[in-house]
Amino acid sequence: MIKKIFSGVQPTGNLHLGNYIGAIKNFVNLQNEKNNFCIYCVVDLHAITVKQNPNQLKRNIRETTAAFIASGLDYKKSIIFNQSLVPAHSEGSWILSCIARMGWLNRMTQFKEKAGKDKEKASVGLYIYPILMAADILLYDATHVPVGEDQKQHLELSRDIANKFNIDFNSPNFLVPPEPLIQKSFSRIMSLKDGNKKMSKSDPSDLSRINLSDSIDQISNKIKKAKTDTKPLPDNEDELSSRPEAENLLGIYSSLNDQPIDKTINEFSGKNFSNFKEKLASLVVEKISPISSEINKLLKNESFIDKVLIEGAEKADKIATEKIKNIKKIIGF
Ligand code: TYM
C-alpha cells in the first residue's frame, strides 16, 4: 500500500538540531523508502501567527527550503512547496474551523506555552493554528505524518476533525484521519542548558541549541558548554530517567550515528563527560557542517530555490484544489 506522507516546518529562523533529528532526518528516510509519496511544506502561514519581519520571513522561507534540500530531500522525488502558494490551505482551514470545537482547542498545550501569561494578547491565528495544520494534512489525504513529540496533540486534533467531518456529513472515509509517525527514541531533543526543556527556536539563549547554520567552532563550543551532571556516564538505560542531560546528549549521539541508545551507553559507560563531549562534538560537526555549508551555497541561488517552491506548489495545488472542490460539494456549496 502506498503511504502518503505530509509534514511541515515553520520558516521562523534558527532551524536547530531538534528539528533535524525530530523531523527532517526522518523526512529524508521516508522519502527514500519504496511506496511512499511524500509532501513536505514550508508552513509560512503558520509563521505569521506571531509577528514577522517581511524581509526576514522571505529569507527564512528560502532558508528552510534550503535546509530541506541540504538535508537530502529531493524535489524530484518529493513535493516541496510553501503553504501560502496554495490557497486551499487557507480555505480549508476556515471550513474546518467550523467543524472543530472550542473545547478541543482549549486543551492544546502548545498554545498555552506559546501564548504565555498574557493570552489576551496572543493572535487569534495562534489559537486556531492546529486547525490550519489539520487542513494541511487532510487536503492531501495524508496517511502518515512524521513529527516530533511536541506535535502529537495537534495530530490527535486532526484526527478528531476528520472523524467529525465524516460523521456530520455522512461521508465515511472521506477525510483520512492521519497516523502520527513519532520516532520511539529521539523525538524530543532537549535544550543543551536544561535537560527538562525542549530545544527550541524561541529560547533566548543561543547556547541552548545547535542551529543548522552554526559554524564548526560554534558547535564545538556549545557542546563543550552543555549542561551535564557530576557523575560518570551511566552503564544502563534505567538510570537515564533521573539524568535528563545525559539522556539528551547520549540520544543526540545515538540518533546522528543511527544506532540504538544501549549501544551508545555501552560505548561510553563509566567514562567522564569531557571525553564523551569531544566525540559528540566531532560527530555533530561531521553530520551538521556539510548541511550548513550546503544551505549557504543554496541560498546564493535564490532563483533555484524559488523555482523548487513554485514547481512544488503547482503539483500540491492540483491535489489540494481537487479536495477542496469535493469538500465544498459535500457541505452544500
Ligand atoms: P515546527 O516548525 O515547530 O517544528 C518542525 C518539526 O520539528 C520538530 N521539533 C522537534 N523534534 C524533536 N525535538 C525538538 N526539540 C523539536 N523541536 C521541533 C516538530 O515536532 C516538527 O515536527 N505545527 C508544526 C508545523 C506544521 C505541520 C503541519 C507538521 C504545520 N502543518 C502538518 C506536520 C503536518 C510546527 O510548528 O513545527
Side-chain angles (χ1 to χ4, degrees):
M1 201 190 82
I2 291 195
K3 278 192 201 152
K4 284 194 199 157
I5 315 279
F6 184 99
S7 199
V9 175
Q10 292 200 46
T12 37
N14 291 341
L15 274 184
H16 53 70
L17 200 60
N19 299 125
Y20 178 71
I21 292 177
I24 302 173
K25 185 167 177 276
N26 213 8
F27 297 177
V28 179
N29 292 338
L30 289 163
Q31 165 192 267
N32 296 334
E33 275 172 25
K34 244 169 94 184
N35 290 333
N36 286 350
F37 175 68
C38 300
I39 307 176
Y40 296 119
C41 185
V42 177
V43 290
D44 49 10
L45 295 172
H46 277 87
I48 60 163
T49 54
V50 296
K51 196 162 189 286
Q52 299 291 334
N53 168 307
N55 290 327
Q56 191 60 42
L57 178 61
K58 190 166 272 176
R59 190 181 155 78
N60 287 340
I61 292 168
R62 291 190 176 120
E63 193 176 305
T64 304
T65 312
F68 280 1
I69 300 170
S71 303
L73 289 186
D74 177 350
Y75 64 97
K76 292 190 186 118
K77 289 191 192 159
S78 301
I79 297 181
I80 297 174
F81 75 109
N82 60 315
Q83 200 182 23
S84 63
L85 287 179
V86 178
H89 289 254
S90 308
E91 215 178 344
S93 172
W94 172 253
I95 293 172
L96 296 182
S97 73
C98 301
I99 305 292
R101 304 290 96 181
M102 293 285 285
W104 300 355
L105 283 182
N106 285 340
R107 285 196 286 274
M108 295 296 115
T109 53
Q110 200 175 74
F111 174 74
K112 290 176 194 154
E113 278 161 29
K114 285 198 172 173
K117 285 200 187 82
D118 202 353
K119 286 196 191 51
E120 297 290 314
K121 288 220 172 101
S123 74
V124 177
L126 188 68
Y127 180 66
I128 59 169
Y129 134 134
I131 303 177
L132 175 60
M133 179 162 162
D136 298 342
I137 298 165
L138 299 175
L139 282 172
Y140 298 91
D141 296 333
T143 54
H144 295 82
V145 179
V147 281
E149 170 72 29
D150 61 337
Q151 298 297 323
K152 191 171 173 205
Q153 200 185 27
H154 294 160
L155 278 178
E156 278 157 13
L157 184 87
S158 301
R159 293 176 60 84
D160 289 343
I161 292 176
N163 287 327
K164 182 164 168 37
F165 183 97
N166 292 344
I167 292 169
D168 285 358
F169 294 102
N170 195 17
S171 52
N173 308 320
F174 173 71
L175 292 182
V176 179
E179 290 292 331
L181 287 180
I182 299 174
Q183 305 172 87
K184 274 198 198 74
S185 329
F186 331 129
S187 60
R188 200 171 157 79
I189 301 299
M190 309 309 274
S191 156
L192 298 181
K193 290 274 131 204
D194 178 352
N196 292 307
K197 232 168 90 185
K198 195 182 69 164
M199 185 178 283
S200 151
K201 320 178 188 203
S202 52
D203 193 313
S205 166
D206 195 52
L207 287 175
S208 70
R209 63 182 163 262
I210 308 255
N211 302 304
L212 295 190
S213 55
D214 282 346
S215 67
I216 294 176
D217 285 349
Q218 281 170 314
I219 294 175
S220 306
N221 185 38
K222 285 177 180 179
I223 290 183
K224 207 182 279 166
K225 292 202 170 131
K227 186 177 170 201
T228 56
D229 53 44
T230 49
K231 292 191 245 167
L233 283 150
D235 59 10
N236 67 79
E237 235 177 291
D238 294 342
E239 210 182 309
L240 293 180
S241 56
S242 58
R243 299 182 61 188
E245 284 82 19
E247 179 173 32
N248 189 39
L249 296 179
L250 288 165
I252 292 173
Y253 186 93
S254 308
S255 166
L256 291 179
N257 226 5
D258 290 315
Q259 66 186 35
I261 195 133
D262 53 349
K263 187 158 179 237
T264 310
I265 291 177
N266 285 342
E267 207 174 320
F268 294 102
S269 115
K271 300 219 166 91
N272 58 30
F273 273 101
S274 61
N275 173 288
F276 168 61
K277 279 180 166 182
E278 265 173 42
K279 296 253 166 53
L280 177 63
S282 52
L283 179 65
V284 177
V285 166
E286 181 194 320
K287 300 288 176 180
I288 298 303
S289 295
I291 297 178
S292 81
S293 51
E294 187 61 20
I295 293 175
N296 289 327
K297 212 162 94 194
L298 285 162
L299 282 174
K300 293 200 180 98
N301 192 350
E302 292 181 349
S303 58
F304 167 72
I305 295 182
D306 294 351
K307 189 169 151 261
V308 168
L309 291 174
I310 290 168
E311 287 182 8
E314 279 165 9
K315 294 182 205 156
D317 191 63
K318 280 205 185 90
I319 306 171
T321 304
E322 182 59 27
K323 193 75 183 175
I324 276 287
K325 226 168 71 190
N326 291 328
I327 290 177
K328 285 180 168 172
K329 219 188 272 169
I330 287 175
I331 58 183
F333 289 156

